[in-house]
Amino acid sequence: MTGTVEVRVRYAETDQMGRAHHRHYLVWCELGRTALMRERGISYAALERDGVLLPVARVELEYRAPVFYDEVVRIHTRVERVRSRSVVFGYHLTRDEDETTVARARITLASADADGRPRRLPGAVREALDRLARPEGSPPRGAA
Amino acid sequence: MTGTVEVRVRYAETDQMGRAHHRHYLVWCELGRTALMRERGISYAALERDGVLLPVARVELEYRAPVFYDEVVRIHTRVERVRSRSVVFGYHLTRDEDETTVARARITLASADADGRPRRLPGAVREALDRLARPEGSPPRGAA
Amino acid sequence: MTGTVEVRVRYAETDQMGRAHHRHYLVWCELGRTALMRERGISYAALERDGVLLPVARVELEYRAPVFYDEVVRIHTRVERVRSRSVVFGYHLTRDEDETTVARARITLASADADGRPRRLPGAVREALDRLARPEGSPPRGAA
Amino acid sequence: MTGTVEVRVRYAETDQMGRAHHRHYLVWCELGRTALMRERGISYAALERDGVLLPVARVELEYRAPVFYDEVVRIHTRVERVRSRSVVFGYHLTRDEDETTVARARITLASADADGRPRRLPGAVREALDRLARPEGSPPRGAA
């Protein structure tokens, strides 16, 4: 399953090259995954209140085309892989107007406790993410 | 007493007008007051651990001249007024190269507890800020 | 006339106090005024291509209540005053959920040319802003 | 050759997890490479005035340990590879206090003209970067 959110490039996100500065793509990906999780009933805010942090552990990001002030970017987010202590999200960013690819990314979050130590993802969260990771209509892993 | 810190304008702080975006001046002022407080033995980090938050309650900021990538800005910070639950800092930002005035600001912080409710500044903090607010060599308020 | 836009507080906009950092309110106000101007046919992007810059010259901002991750903030923007070389916008920020006032602001933009020198607002822009500044249905200034 | 710069984590760079938000590492790496280039006489600002842009084309970033408000991070930057239209920088970020590794990154910049089209790096820039890429004291490529 892929979730999609749109973001309009803010003036404050441009730099003197006249395009969106590259750091903001990480923020847009964050919007993509929190929206996807919220849709599936996983509230980031609630997770944190329960002592589960999901800091970013690894980023791979390819910038394919610049985006400019006031352009609308679509962030297509999917869960690529779920493990006991981490989850990998894949991103495809497109320019709304002409559907060109703007960027592709893969971002790994590591599950940590309130003190930053590795911890297992809560069962319910892992199951919800697992469902997101499966192609639509496919059986759960291990199902006969 | 005035504390001074320098900050070099980062590429990431520019916008497509080719100058530092106006929101970053608030960050620079924050650097100015935390540096000034640190010099006087008031650690912002320690305050927070003790349950004292100092959120910004009011900003007045006048932008006088743009600053550009790689320029050095000096932030001159002083305490203007201390009350039981708030403190007002005054700022004068100058361009290092030619000492022109870049901006002037007045920022009020309100003392709050961990839940965001108003609370009195701890006595030691208030005294340290009071000392900063007095002209060098002047007696404490109320001194004969 | 008042324009209204909504913004959901981003995770990346929080700070370790657990609330949106105060600098982001300036970005939200920027969203408010560019949306209002776009509605009235004034494109910020087009203005800049025509050599008209609108840097921020002055900010007054009062923070009334903190806002938290994932909360929706409404930015109500109106034009308060238009002059030959500047325009003043007024802002009222409310929390969507309970309509409490989050902040109030007044931000002055100064019209400048591509080199940053003061210049008059183009006539059409000034007229469009003037219309925004008038109470709905009121006659233009100078009308009999 | 490795260039080293220090950056103190700003309050504004923290998020509600209480650590520096992951997007800021990209800004710190940018500080690292612009400082390294400046040391070698390559001014980013001058390059842009000459119509050479160096947008980020690819990021790989591994986060190894969180960093907190007021901590000092050292950014060790080196040139890993220079090509006719791109340059790859490698980064090692350490916490100043205990020298633990905070992050490692590899960031590719692509040379572009003012309109964003790929262009060759100017000869002098390429040579300066090539010198940085060689181990200290090693002969230039192609030398007998």
Side-chain angles (χ1 to χ4, degrees):
Chain A
M1 201 199 103
T2 300
T4 302
V5 291
E6 288 177 9
V7 66
R8 190 183 280 271
V9 178
R10 299 173 171 187
Y11 196 89
E13 291 172 336
T14 61
D15 65 20
Q16 70 180 37
M17 260 190 273
R19 39 176 86 187
H21 189 267
H22 63 282
R23 75 188 181 288
H24 300 297
Y25 292 61
L26 291 180
V27 176
W28 302 338
C29 289
E30 191 168 69
L31 293 179
R33 70 178 166 270
T34 51
L36 178 63
M37 288 166 73
R38 186 168 43 221
E39 270 174 44
R40 305 304 290 196
I42 310 172
S43 156
Y44 220 83
L47 273 178
E48 290 200 350
R49 281 192 296 270
D50 293 345
V52 183
L53 304 183
L54 290 174
V56 169
R58 186 171 169 78
V59 165
E60 290 168 81
L61 215 167
E62 245 189 274
Y63 300 83
R64 297 282 181 85
V67 284
F68 301 98
Y69 167 57
D70 223 24
E71 287 187 339
V72 173
V73 177
R74 279 177 195 266
I75 303 122
H76 310 271
T77 308
R78 68 183 206 286
V79 175
E80 292 202 346
R81 200 168 51 208
V82 189
R83 288 188 169 153
S84 61
R85 295 160 191 268
S86 67
V87 47
V88 182
F89 289 90
Y91 304 88
H92 182 206
L93 279 66
T94 56
R95 182 185 288 114
D96 185 47
E97 198 186 332
D98 57 9
E99 295 184 8
T100 53
T101 293
V102 158
R104 286 187 186 276
R106 176 175 290 123
I107 296 178
T108 307
L109 308 188
S111 179
D113 67 17
D115 295 318
R117 282 180 304 247
R119 60 159 287 173
R120 290 179 166 272
L121 283 165
V125 173
R126 184 164 180 190
E127 277 162 39
L129 290 170
D130 263 331
R131 275 196 299 276
L132 283 170
R134 284 200 306 273
E136 229 107 349
S138 75
R141 280 186 302 184
Chain B
M1 200 199 103
T2 300
T4 302
V5 291
E6 287 177 8
V7 65
R8 189 183 280 271
V9 178
R10 298 173 171 187
Y11 196 90
E13 290 172 337
T14 62
D15 64 21
Q16 70 180 36
M17 259 190 275
R19 40 177 85 186
H21 189 267
H22 63 283
R23 75 188 181 287
H24 300 298
Y25 292 60
L26 291 181
V27 177
W28 302 339
C29 289
E30 191 169 68
L31 293 180
R33 70 179 167 268
T34 52
L36 177 63
M37 288 166 73
R38 187 168 42 225
E39 271 174 44
R40 304 305 288 198
I42 309 172
S43 156
Y44 220 84
L47 272 179
E48 290 199 352
R49 279 193 297 271
D50 292 346
V52 183
L53 304 183
L54 289 175
V56 169
R58 188 174 167 76
V59 165
E60 290 169 81
L61 214 166
E62 245 189 276
Y63 299 84
R64 298 284 181 85
V67 284
F68 301 98
Y69 167 58
D70 224 23
E71 287 187 340
V72 173
V73 176
R74 279 176 195 267
I75 303 120
H76 310 272
T77 308
R78 66 183 208 287
V79 175
E80 291 202 345
R81 198 168 53 208
V82 189
R83 289 188 169 153
S84 61
R85 296 160 191 269
S86 67
V87 49
V88 181
F89 289 90
Y91 304 88
H92 181 205
L93 279 66
T94 56
R95 181 185 289 113
D96 185 47
E97 198 186 333
D98 57 10
E99 295 184 8
T100 53
T101 292
V102 159
R104 286 187 187 276
R106 176 175 291 121
I107 296 178
T108 307
L109 308 188
S111 179
D113 68 16
D115 295 318
R117 281 180 304 247
R119 59 160 287 172
R120 289 179 168 275
L121 283 166
V125 172
R126 183 164 181 189
E127 277 163 38
L129 290 170
D130 263 332
R131 274 195 301 276
L132 282 170
R134 285 199 307 273
E136 229 106 350
S138 74
R141 280 186 301 184
Chain C
M1 202 199 103
T2 300
T4 303
V5 290
E6 287 177 8
V7 66
R8 190 182 279 271
V9 178
R10 299 173 171 187
Y11 196 90
E13 291 172 338
T14 62
D15 65 20
Q16 70 180 38
M17 259 190 273
R19 41 176 86 187
H21 189 267
H22 63 282
R23 77 188 179 286
H24 300 296
Y25 292 60
L26 291 180
V27 177
W28 302 338
C29 289
E30 191 168 68
L31 293 179
R33 71 179 166 269
T34 52
L36 177 63
M37 288 167 74
R38 188 168 41 225
E39 269 175 46
R40 305 303 290 196
I42 310 171
S43 155
Y44 219 84
L47 272 179
E48 290 200 350
R49 279 192 297 270
D50 293 345
V52 183
L53 303 183
L54 289 174
V56 169
R58 185 172 170 78
V59 165
E60 291 168 80
L61 215 167
E62 246 188 275
Y63 300 83
R64 297 283 180 82
V67 284
F68 301 98
Y69 167 58
D70 223 24
E71 287 187 340
V72 173
V73 177
R74 280 178 193 265
I75 303 122
H76 310 272
T77 308
R78 67 183 206 285
V79 175
E80 292 202 346
R81 198 168 52 208
V82 189
R83 289 186 169 156
S84 62
R85 295 158 191 269
S86 67
V87 48
V88 182
F89 289 90
Y91 303 89
H92 181 205
L93 278 65
T94 55
R95 182 185 288 114
D96 185 47
E97 198 187 333
D98 57 9
E99 296 184 6
T100 54
T101 293
V102 158
R104 287 187 186 276
R106 175 175 290 123
I107 296 178
T108 307
L109 308 189
S111 179
D113 67 16
D115 295 318
R117 283 181 303 246
R119 59 158 288 173
R120 287 177 168 274
L121 283 166
V125 172
R126 182 162 182 191
E127 277 162 40
L129 291 170
D130 263 332
R131 274 195 302 276
L132 283 170
R134 285 200 305 271
E136 227 107 350
S138 75
R141 280 186 302 185
Chain D
M1 202 198 102
T2 300
T4 301
V5 291
E6 288 177 8
V7 65
R8 189 183 281 271
V9 178
R10 300 172 170 188
Y11 196 89
E13 291 172 336
T14 62
D15 64 21
Q16 69 180 40
M17 260 189 274
R19 41 177 85 186
H21 189 267
H22 63 283
R23 75 187 181 287
H24 300 297
Y25 292 60
L26 291 180
V27 177
W28 302 339
C29 289
E30 191 169 69
L31 293 179
R33 69 178 167 269
T34 52
L36 177 62
M37 288 167 73
R38 187 168 42 224
E39 270 175 44
R40 304 304 287 199
I42 309 172
S43 155
Y44 220 83
L47 271 179
E48 290 200 350
R49 279 192 297 271
D50 292 347
V52 183
L53 304 183
L54 288 174
V56 169
R58 186 172 169 77
V59 165
E60 290 168 80
L61 214 167
E62 247 189 276
Y63 301 83
R64 298 283 181 82
V67 284
F68 300 98
Y69 167 58
D70 224 22
E71 287 187 339
V72 174
V73 177
R74 279 177 194 266
I75 302 121
H76 310 271
T77 308
R78 68 183 206 288
V79 176
E80 291 203 346
R81 197 168 54 208
V82 189
R83 288 186 170 156
S84 62
R85 296 160 191 269
S86 67
V87 49
V88 181
F89 289 89
Y91 303 88
H92 182 206
L93 279 65
T94 56
R95 182 185 288 113
D96 184 47
E97 198 185 335
D98 57 9
E99 295 185 7
T100 53
T101 292
V102 159
R104 287 188 186 276
R106 176 176 290 122
I107 296 178
T108 306
L109 308 188
S111 179
D113 67 17
D115 295 319
R117 282 181 304 248
R119 59 159 288 172
R120 290 177 167 275
L121 283 166
V125 173
R126 184 164 179 189
E127 277 163 38
L129 291 170
D130 263 332
R131 275 194 301 276
L132 283 170
R134 283 200 307 273
E136 229 107 350
S138 75
R141 281 186 303 185

